[in-house]
Short mmCIF file of all heavy atoms in Angstrom, two decimals:
data_model
loop_
_atom_site.label_atom_id
_atom_site.label_comp_id
_atom_site.label_asym_id
_atom_site.label_seq_id
_atom_site.Cartn_x
_atom_site.Cartn_y
_atom_site.Cartn_z
N MET A 1 94.40 61.40 34.64
CA MET A 1 95.10 62.58 35.06
C MET A 1 95.79 62.28 36.39
O MET A 1 95.17 61.80 37.33
CB MET A 1 94.09 63.72 35.22
CG MET A 1 94.73 65.02 35.58
SD MET A 1 93.58 66.40 35.71
CE MET A 1 93.09 66.59 34.01
N ASN A 2 97.07 62.56 36.46
CA ASN A 2 97.80 62.31 37.70
C ASN A 2 98.30 63.61 38.31
O ASN A 2 98.09 64.69 37.78
CB ASN A 2 98.96 61.33 37.45
CG ASN A 2 99.95 61.86 36.44
OD1 ASN A 2 100.02 63.05 36.19
ND2 ASN A 2 100.73 60.98 35.85
N ALA A 3 98.97 63.51 39.44
CA ALA A 3 99.40 64.69 40.18
C ALA A 3 100.42 65.52 39.39
O ALA A 3 100.39 66.74 39.44
CB ALA A 3 99.98 64.28 41.53
N GLU A 4 101.30 64.86 38.67
CA GLU A 4 102.32 65.59 37.91
C GLU A 4 101.70 66.38 36.77
O GLU A 4 102.16 67.46 36.44
CB GLU A 4 103.39 64.63 37.40
CG GLU A 4 104.26 64.07 38.51
CD GLU A 4 105.31 63.11 37.98
OE1 GLU A 4 105.48 63.00 36.76
OE2 GLU A 4 105.96 62.47 38.81
N THR A 5 100.65 65.85 36.19
CA THR A 5 99.95 66.56 35.11
C THR A 5 99.35 67.85 35.64
O THR A 5 99.33 68.87 34.96
CB THR A 5 98.84 65.67 34.52
OG1 THR A 5 99.42 64.46 34.07
CG2 THR A 5 98.16 66.36 33.37
N LEU A 6 98.85 67.81 36.87
CA LEU A 6 98.26 69.00 37.48
C LEU A 6 99.30 70.01 37.94
O LEU A 6 98.98 71.16 38.18
CB LEU A 6 97.40 68.59 38.68
CG LEU A 6 96.14 67.80 38.37
CD1 LEU A 6 95.49 67.34 39.67
CD2 LEU A 6 95.17 68.65 37.57
N GLY A 7 100.52 69.58 38.12
CA GLY A 7 101.57 70.47 38.60
C GLY A 7 101.86 70.31 40.08
O GLY A 7 102.43 71.19 40.70
N LEU A 8 101.47 69.19 40.65
CA LEU A 8 101.75 68.91 42.06
C LEU A 8 103.00 68.06 42.18
O LEU A 8 103.23 67.17 41.38
CB LEU A 8 100.58 68.19 42.71
CG LEU A 8 99.27 68.95 42.81
CD1 LEU A 8 98.19 68.04 43.36
CD2 LEU A 8 99.43 70.16 43.70
N GLU A 9 103.77 68.34 43.21
CA GLU A 9 104.97 67.56 43.47
C GLU A 9 104.70 66.56 44.59
O GLU A 9 103.68 66.63 45.26
CB GLU A 9 106.11 68.49 43.89
CG GLU A 9 106.49 69.48 42.80
CD GLU A 9 107.55 70.47 43.26
OE1 GLU A 9 108.10 70.29 44.37
OE2 GLU A 9 107.82 71.41 42.51
N ARG A 10 105.62 65.64 44.78
CA ARG A 10 105.45 64.62 45.82
C ARG A 10 105.31 65.25 47.20
O ARG A 10 104.50 64.82 48.01
CB ARG A 10 106.64 63.67 45.78
CG ARG A 10 106.53 62.52 46.73
CD ARG A 10 107.75 61.61 46.63
NE ARG A 10 107.54 60.43 47.41
CZ ARG A 10 107.27 59.24 46.91
NH1 ARG A 10 107.20 59.10 45.61
NH2 ARG A 10 107.07 58.21 47.69
N ARG A 11 106.08 66.29 47.47
CA ARG A 11 106.01 66.94 48.78
C ARG A 11 104.66 67.63 48.99
O ARG A 11 104.21 67.76 50.12
CB ARG A 11 107.15 67.93 48.96
CG ARG A 11 107.06 69.12 48.05
CD ARG A 11 108.20 70.05 48.22
NE ARG A 11 108.06 71.10 47.20
CZ ARG A 11 108.69 72.21 47.22
NH1 ARG A 11 109.55 72.46 48.17
NH2 ARG A 11 108.50 73.09 46.27
N ASP A 12 104.01 68.06 47.91
CA ASP A 12 102.69 68.67 48.04
C ASP A 12 101.68 67.64 48.57
O ASP A 12 100.84 67.97 49.41
CB ASP A 12 102.20 69.22 46.70
CG ASP A 12 103.03 70.39 46.21
OD1 ASP A 12 103.57 71.14 47.06
OD2 ASP A 12 103.15 70.56 44.98
N GLY A 13 101.77 66.42 48.10
CA GLY A 13 100.88 65.36 48.59
C GLY A 13 101.13 65.05 50.05
O GLY A 13 100.19 64.87 50.83
N ARG A 14 102.39 65.01 50.42
CA ARG A 14 102.74 64.76 51.82
C ARG A 14 102.23 65.89 52.71
O ARG A 14 101.63 65.65 53.76
CB ARG A 14 104.25 64.62 51.97
CG ARG A 14 104.70 64.31 53.40
CD ARG A 14 106.19 64.52 53.60
NE ARG A 14 106.50 65.93 53.45
CZ ARG A 14 107.50 66.40 52.71
NH1 ARG A 14 108.30 65.59 52.07
NH2 ARG A 14 107.72 67.69 52.61
N ASN A 15 102.45 67.12 52.27
CA ASN A 15 101.99 68.27 53.05
C ASN A 15 100.47 68.29 53.17
O ASN A 15 99.93 68.65 54.22
CB ASN A 15 102.49 69.57 52.42
CG ASN A 15 103.98 69.73 52.53
OD1 ASN A 15 104.63 69.07 53.32
ND2 ASN A 15 104.54 70.60 51.72
N MET A 16 99.77 67.89 52.11
CA MET A 16 98.32 67.84 52.14
C MET A 16 97.85 66.83 53.19
O MET A 16 96.92 67.12 53.95
CB MET A 16 97.74 67.46 50.79
CG MET A 16 96.23 67.39 50.78
SD MET A 16 95.54 66.42 49.46
CE MET A 16 96.25 64.82 49.73
N LEU A 17 98.49 65.68 53.24
CA LEU A 17 98.11 64.67 54.23
C LEU A 17 98.37 65.15 55.65
O LEU A 17 97.57 64.89 56.56
CB LEU A 17 98.85 63.37 53.97
CG LEU A 17 98.43 62.60 52.72
CD1 LEU A 17 99.33 61.38 52.52
CD2 LEU A 17 96.98 62.18 52.82
N VAL A 18 99.46 65.86 55.86
CA VAL A 18 99.76 66.39 57.18
C VAL A 18 98.71 67.42 57.60
O VAL A 18 98.18 67.37 58.71
CB VAL A 18 101.18 67.02 57.22
CG1 VAL A 18 101.41 67.82 58.49
CG2 VAL A 18 102.24 65.94 57.06
N VAL A 19 98.39 68.35 56.70
CA VAL A 19 97.38 69.36 57.01
C VAL A 19 96.03 68.71 57.29
O VAL A 19 95.36 69.03 58.28
CB VAL A 19 97.27 70.39 55.85
CG1 VAL A 19 96.04 71.27 56.00
CG2 VAL A 19 98.53 71.24 55.77
N ALA A 20 95.60 67.81 56.42
CA ALA A 20 94.31 67.15 56.59
C ALA A 20 94.27 66.35 57.89
O ALA A 20 93.26 66.35 58.61
CB ALA A 20 94.00 66.26 55.40
N GLY A 21 95.35 65.67 58.21
CA GLY A 21 95.41 64.89 59.44
C GLY A 21 95.32 65.74 60.69
O GLY A 21 94.58 65.42 61.63
N ILE A 22 96.05 66.85 60.71
CA ILE A 22 96.01 67.74 61.87
C ILE A 22 94.63 68.36 62.03
O ILE A 22 94.08 68.40 63.13
CB ILE A 22 97.11 68.82 61.75
CG1 ILE A 22 98.48 68.19 61.91
CG2 ILE A 22 96.90 69.93 62.77
CD1 ILE A 22 99.65 69.10 61.60
N VAL A 23 94.04 68.83 60.93
CA VAL A 23 92.71 69.42 61.00
C VAL A 23 91.69 68.38 61.47
O VAL A 23 90.84 68.68 62.32
CB VAL A 23 92.31 70.01 59.63
CG1 VAL A 23 90.84 70.39 59.59
CG2 VAL A 23 93.17 71.21 59.29
N THR A 24 91.79 67.17 60.96
CA THR A 24 90.87 66.11 61.38
C THR A 24 90.97 65.84 62.87
O THR A 24 89.95 65.74 63.57
CB THR A 24 91.15 64.82 60.59
OG1 THR A 24 90.96 65.08 59.20
CG2 THR A 24 90.26 63.68 61.03
N LEU A 25 92.18 65.73 63.38
CA LEU A 25 92.38 65.47 64.80
C LEU A 25 91.88 66.61 65.68
O LEU A 25 91.23 66.37 66.72
CB LEU A 25 93.85 65.18 65.09
CG LEU A 25 94.39 63.87 64.54
CD1 LEU A 25 95.89 63.78 64.76
CD2 LEU A 25 93.69 62.69 65.17
N VAL A 26 92.16 67.83 65.28
CA VAL A 26 91.73 68.99 66.08
C VAL A 26 90.21 69.09 66.12
O VAL A 26 89.62 69.30 67.19
CB VAL A 26 92.37 70.29 65.54
CG1 VAL A 26 91.73 71.52 66.17
CG2 VAL A 26 93.87 70.29 65.79
N VAL A 27 89.57 68.92 64.97
CA VAL A 27 88.12 69.00 64.94
C VAL A 27 87.50 67.86 65.74
O VAL A 27 86.56 68.07 66.51
CB VAL A 27 87.59 69.03 63.49
CG1 VAL A 27 86.08 68.87 63.44
CG2 VAL A 27 88.01 70.31 62.80
N ALA A 28 88.01 66.65 65.57
CA ALA A 28 87.46 65.51 66.31
C ALA A 28 87.65 65.68 67.82
O ALA A 28 86.79 65.27 68.60
CB ALA A 28 88.11 64.22 65.84
N ALA A 29 88.74 66.30 68.21
CA ALA A 29 89.00 66.48 69.64
C ALA A 29 88.18 67.61 70.25
O ALA A 29 87.84 67.56 71.44
CB ALA A 29 90.49 66.74 69.86
N THR A 30 87.85 68.62 69.47
CA THR A 30 87.18 69.79 70.03
C THR A 30 85.68 69.82 69.77
O THR A 30 84.98 70.63 70.38
CB THR A 30 87.81 71.08 69.48
OG1 THR A 30 87.70 71.09 68.06
CG2 THR A 30 89.25 71.20 69.90
N ALA A 31 85.18 68.98 68.90
CA ALA A 31 83.74 68.96 68.61
C ALA A 31 82.97 68.39 69.79
O ALA A 31 83.50 67.63 70.59
CB ALA A 31 83.47 68.14 67.35
N GLU A 32 81.72 68.78 69.86
CA GLU A 32 80.87 68.25 70.92
C GLU A 32 79.94 67.20 70.34
O GLU A 32 79.55 67.27 69.18
CB GLU A 32 80.05 69.38 71.54
CG GLU A 32 80.89 70.38 72.29
CD GLU A 32 80.05 71.41 73.02
OE1 GLU A 32 78.85 71.17 73.19
OE2 GLU A 32 80.61 72.44 73.38
N GLY A 33 79.59 66.23 71.16
CA GLY A 33 78.67 65.19 70.73
C GLY A 33 79.26 63.82 70.94
O GLY A 33 80.36 63.66 71.49
N PRO A 34 78.55 62.80 70.47
CA PRO A 34 79.04 61.43 70.60
C PRO A 34 80.33 61.23 69.80
O PRO A 34 80.60 61.95 68.83
CB PRO A 34 77.91 60.57 70.02
CG PRO A 34 76.74 61.47 69.86
CD PRO A 34 77.24 62.86 69.87
N VAL A 35 81.10 60.25 70.19
CA VAL A 35 82.39 60.00 69.55
C VAL A 35 82.24 59.76 68.04
O VAL A 35 83.02 60.29 67.24
CB VAL A 35 83.10 58.80 70.21
CG1 VAL A 35 84.38 58.45 69.48
CG2 VAL A 35 83.40 59.09 71.66
N GLY A 36 81.24 59.00 67.64
CA GLY A 36 81.03 58.74 66.21
C GLY A 36 80.79 60.00 65.42
O GLY A 36 81.34 60.19 64.33
N ALA A 37 79.99 60.89 65.96
CA ALA A 37 79.70 62.16 65.28
C ALA A 37 80.95 63.03 65.21
O ALA A 37 81.19 63.71 64.20
CB ALA A 37 78.58 62.90 66.00
N ARG A 38 81.76 62.99 66.24
CA ARG A 38 82.99 63.78 66.26
C ARG A 38 83.97 63.28 65.20
O ARG A 38 84.62 64.08 64.52
CB ARG A 38 83.62 63.72 67.64
CG ARG A 38 82.77 64.43 68.70
CD ARG A 38 83.15 64.08 70.10
NE ARG A 38 84.52 64.48 70.40
CZ ARG A 38 85.03 64.45 71.61
NH1 ARG A 38 84.29 64.05 72.63
NH2 ARG A 38 86.27 64.81 71.81
N VAL A 39 84.06 61.97 65.07
CA VAL A 39 84.96 61.39 64.06
C VAL A 39 84.49 61.73 62.65
O VAL A 39 85.28 62.10 61.78
CB VAL A 39 85.09 59.87 64.26
CG1 VAL A 39 85.81 59.21 63.10
CG2 VAL A 39 85.79 59.57 65.58
N VAL A 40 83.18 61.62 62.42
CA VAL A 40 82.63 61.95 61.10
C VAL A 40 82.85 63.43 60.79
O VAL A 40 83.25 63.78 59.68
CB VAL A 40 81.13 61.58 61.02
CG1 VAL A 40 80.49 62.14 59.77
CG2 VAL A 40 80.96 60.07 61.09
N ALA A 41 82.59 64.30 61.77
CA ALA A 41 82.81 65.73 61.56
C ALA A 41 84.28 66.01 61.25
O ALA A 41 84.59 66.80 60.34
CB ALA A 41 82.37 66.51 62.80
N GLY A 42 85.17 65.36 61.98
CA GLY A 42 86.60 65.55 61.72
C GLY A 42 87.00 65.10 60.33
O GLY A 42 87.77 65.77 59.64
N ALA A 43 86.44 63.97 59.90
CA ALA A 43 86.78 63.45 58.56
C ALA A 43 86.25 64.37 57.47
O ALA A 43 86.95 64.63 56.48
CB ALA A 43 86.19 62.05 58.40
N ILE A 44 85.05 64.90 57.65
CA ILE A 44 84.49 65.80 56.64
C ILE A 44 85.30 67.10 56.56
O ILE A 44 85.67 67.55 55.46
CB ILE A 44 83.01 66.10 56.94
CG1 ILE A 44 82.17 64.83 56.72
CG2 ILE A 44 82.48 67.24 56.08
CD1 ILE A 44 80.75 64.94 57.22
N VAL A 45 85.59 67.69 57.70
CA VAL A 45 86.35 68.94 57.70
C VAL A 45 87.78 68.69 57.20
O VAL A 45 88.34 69.53 56.47
CB VAL A 45 86.35 69.57 59.11
CG1 VAL A 45 87.25 70.80 59.16
CG2 VAL A 45 84.94 69.95 59.51
N GLY A 46 88.36 67.56 57.53
CA GLY A 46 89.69 67.23 57.02
C GLY A 46 89.70 67.08 55.51
O GLY A 46 90.64 67.52 54.83
N ALA A 47 88.65 66.47 54.95
CA ALA A 47 88.55 66.33 53.49
C ALA A 47 88.41 67.69 52.81
O ALA A 47 89.02 67.95 51.76
CB ALA A 47 87.38 65.43 53.12
N VAL A 48 87.63 68.57 53.42
CA VAL A 48 87.48 69.93 52.86
C VAL A 48 88.81 70.67 52.95
O VAL A 48 89.21 71.36 52.00
CB VAL A 48 86.36 70.69 53.60
CG1 VAL A 48 86.35 72.16 53.21
CG2 VAL A 48 85.01 70.05 53.31
N ALA A 49 89.52 70.52 54.05
CA ALA A 49 90.83 71.16 54.20
C ALA A 49 91.81 70.65 53.15
O ALA A 49 92.59 71.42 52.58
CB ALA A 49 91.39 70.93 55.60
N ALA A 50 91.77 69.36 52.85
CA ALA A 50 92.65 68.79 51.83
C ALA A 50 92.31 69.36 50.46
O ALA A 50 93.21 69.69 49.67
CB ALA A 50 92.53 67.27 51.82
N ALA A 51 91.02 69.48 50.15
CA ALA A 51 90.61 70.04 48.86
C ALA A 51 91.04 71.49 48.72
O ALA A 51 91.53 71.92 47.66
CB ALA A 51 89.10 69.92 48.70
N VAL A 52 90.89 72.27 49.78
CA VAL A 52 91.32 73.67 49.75
C VAL A 52 92.83 73.75 49.61
O VAL A 52 93.36 74.60 48.88
CB VAL A 52 90.83 74.42 51.01
CG1 VAL A 52 91.46 75.79 51.13
CG2 VAL A 52 89.32 74.51 51.01
N PHE A 53 93.55 72.87 50.28
CA PHE A 53 95.02 72.84 50.17
C PHE A 53 95.44 72.58 48.73
O PHE A 53 96.32 73.26 48.20
CB PHE A 53 95.60 71.77 51.10
CG PHE A 53 97.09 71.71 51.08
CD1 PHE A 53 97.84 72.48 51.94
CD2 PHE A 53 97.77 70.89 50.18
CE1 PHE A 53 99.23 72.44 51.91
CE2 PHE A 53 99.14 70.84 50.14
CZ PHE A 53 99.88 71.62 51.01
N VAL A 54 94.82 71.59 48.09
CA VAL A 54 95.17 71.27 46.70
C VAL A 54 94.85 72.43 45.79
O VAL A 54 95.66 72.83 44.94
CB VAL A 54 94.45 69.99 46.24
CG1 VAL A 54 94.59 69.79 44.74
CG2 VAL A 54 95.01 68.78 46.97
N ALA A 55 93.69 73.03 45.95
CA ALA A 55 93.29 74.16 45.09
C ALA A 55 94.24 75.33 45.27
O ALA A 55 94.69 75.93 44.27
CB ALA A 55 91.86 74.58 45.41
N SER A 56 94.59 75.66 46.50
CA SER A 56 95.50 76.79 46.71
C SER A 56 96.90 76.49 46.21
O SER A 56 97.57 77.36 45.66
CB SER A 56 95.52 77.19 48.18
OG SER A 56 95.98 76.13 48.98
N THR A 57 97.35 75.25 46.37
CA THR A 57 98.68 74.87 45.86
C THR A 57 98.72 74.96 44.34
O THR A 57 99.70 75.45 43.77
CB THR A 57 99.04 73.45 46.32
OG1 THR A 57 99.04 73.41 47.74
CG2 THR A 57 100.40 73.03 45.80
N LEU A 58 97.67 74.50 43.68
CA LEU A 58 97.61 74.61 42.22
C LEU A 58 97.64 76.06 41.77
O LEU A 58 98.33 76.41 40.80
CB LEU A 58 96.37 73.90 41.68
CG LEU A 58 96.36 72.38 41.80
CD1 LEU A 58 95.00 71.83 41.38
CD2 LEU A 58 97.48 71.77 40.97
N LEU A 59 96.89 76.91 42.44
CA LEU A 59 96.87 78.33 42.07
C LEU A 59 98.23 78.98 42.31
O LEU A 59 98.70 79.78 41.49
CB LEU A 59 95.77 79.06 42.84
CG LEU A 59 94.35 78.74 42.41
CD1 LEU A 59 93.35 79.36 43.37
CD2 LEU A 59 94.10 79.23 40.98
N ILE A 60 98.85 78.67 43.43
CA ILE A 60 100.17 79.23 43.73
C ILE A 60 101.18 78.77 42.68
O ILE A 60 101.96 79.58 42.16
CB ILE A 60 100.63 78.83 45.14
CG1 ILE A 60 99.81 79.58 46.19
CG2 ILE A 60 102.12 79.11 45.33
CD1 ILE A 60 99.99 79.06 47.60
N ASN A 61 101.18 77.48 42.36
CA ASN A 61 102.13 76.96 41.37
C ASN A 61 101.89 77.56 39.98
O ASN A 61 102.82 77.75 39.22
CB ASN A 61 102.06 75.45 41.31
CG ASN A 61 102.66 74.78 42.52
OD1 ASN A 61 103.39 75.42 43.28
ND2 ASN A 61 102.36 73.53 42.73
N ARG A 62 100.64 77.83 39.66
CA ARG A 62 100.33 78.36 38.33
C ARG A 62 100.72 79.82 38.18
O ARG A 62 101.20 80.25 37.13
CB ARG A 62 98.85 78.19 38.05
CG ARG A 62 98.44 78.68 36.69
CD ARG A 62 97.01 78.34 36.40
NE ARG A 62 96.56 78.92 35.17
CZ ARG A 62 96.55 78.30 34.00
NH1 ARG A 62 96.96 77.05 33.93
NH2 ARG A 62 96.13 78.91 32.93
N TYR A 63 100.53 80.63 39.22
CA TYR A 63 100.69 82.07 39.09
C TYR A 63 101.92 82.64 39.81
O TYR A 63 102.09 83.84 39.84
CB TYR A 63 99.43 82.78 39.59
CG TYR A 63 98.24 82.48 38.72
CD1 TYR A 63 97.21 81.68 39.17
CD2 TYR A 63 98.17 82.99 37.44
CE1 TYR A 63 96.13 81.39 38.37
CE2 TYR A 63 97.09 82.71 36.62
CZ TYR A 63 96.08 81.91 37.09
OH TYR A 63 95.01 81.62 36.28
N LYS A 64 102.77 81.80 40.38
CA LYS A 64 103.95 82.32 41.05
C LYS A 64 104.96 82.82 40.01
O LYS A 64 105.03 82.33 38.89
CB LYS A 64 104.59 81.26 41.95
CG LYS A 64 105.24 80.12 41.23
CD LYS A 64 105.81 79.12 42.21
CE LYS A 64 106.37 77.92 41.47
NZ LYS A 64 106.80 76.90 42.39
N PRO A 65 105.76 83.81 40.41
CA PRO A 65 106.78 84.32 39.48
C PRO A 65 107.82 83.24 39.16
O PRO A 65 108.03 82.30 39.93
CB PRO A 65 107.44 85.46 40.27
CG PRO A 65 106.46 85.82 41.33
CD PRO A 65 105.68 84.57 41.63
N ASP A 66 108.48 83.38 38.03
CA ASP A 66 109.43 82.37 37.57
C ASP A 66 110.63 82.21 38.49
O ASP A 66 111.21 81.15 38.58
CB ASP A 66 109.92 82.70 36.16
CG ASP A 66 108.82 82.50 35.13
OD1 ASP A 66 107.92 81.68 35.39
OD2 ASP A 66 108.86 83.19 34.09
N GLY A 67 111.03 83.25 39.19
CA GLY A 67 112.22 83.20 40.03
C GLY A 67 112.04 82.46 41.34
O GLY A 67 112.99 82.28 42.09
N TRP A 68 110.86 82.02 41.67
CA TRP A 68 110.60 81.38 42.96
C TRP A 68 111.00 79.96 42.96
O TRP A 68 110.85 79.12 42.30
CB TRP A 68 109.15 81.53 43.35
CG TRP A 68 108.84 82.88 43.87
CD1 TRP A 68 109.50 84.04 43.59
CD2 TRP A 68 107.79 83.25 44.74
NE1 TRP A 68 108.92 85.08 44.22
CE2 TRP A 68 107.87 84.64 44.94
CE3 TRP A 68 106.79 82.55 45.37
CZ2 TRP A 68 107.00 85.32 45.74
CZ3 TRP A 68 105.92 83.25 46.16
CH2 TRP A 68 106.02 84.62 46.35
#
């Protein structure tokens, strides 16, 4: 199964990476604790943000009106 089968476009993948990257950096910069823990926390939250982005994009693409 590939991205086109799911209904994702190339720009959706790019946007997902941008969102996940920004969230990862913000969490890593603002978390408290040792640097390693901050990086791990940022990576985990960034991965969750990417998954939520993909799920919401799929739902939007599936249920949006035809004229959009």
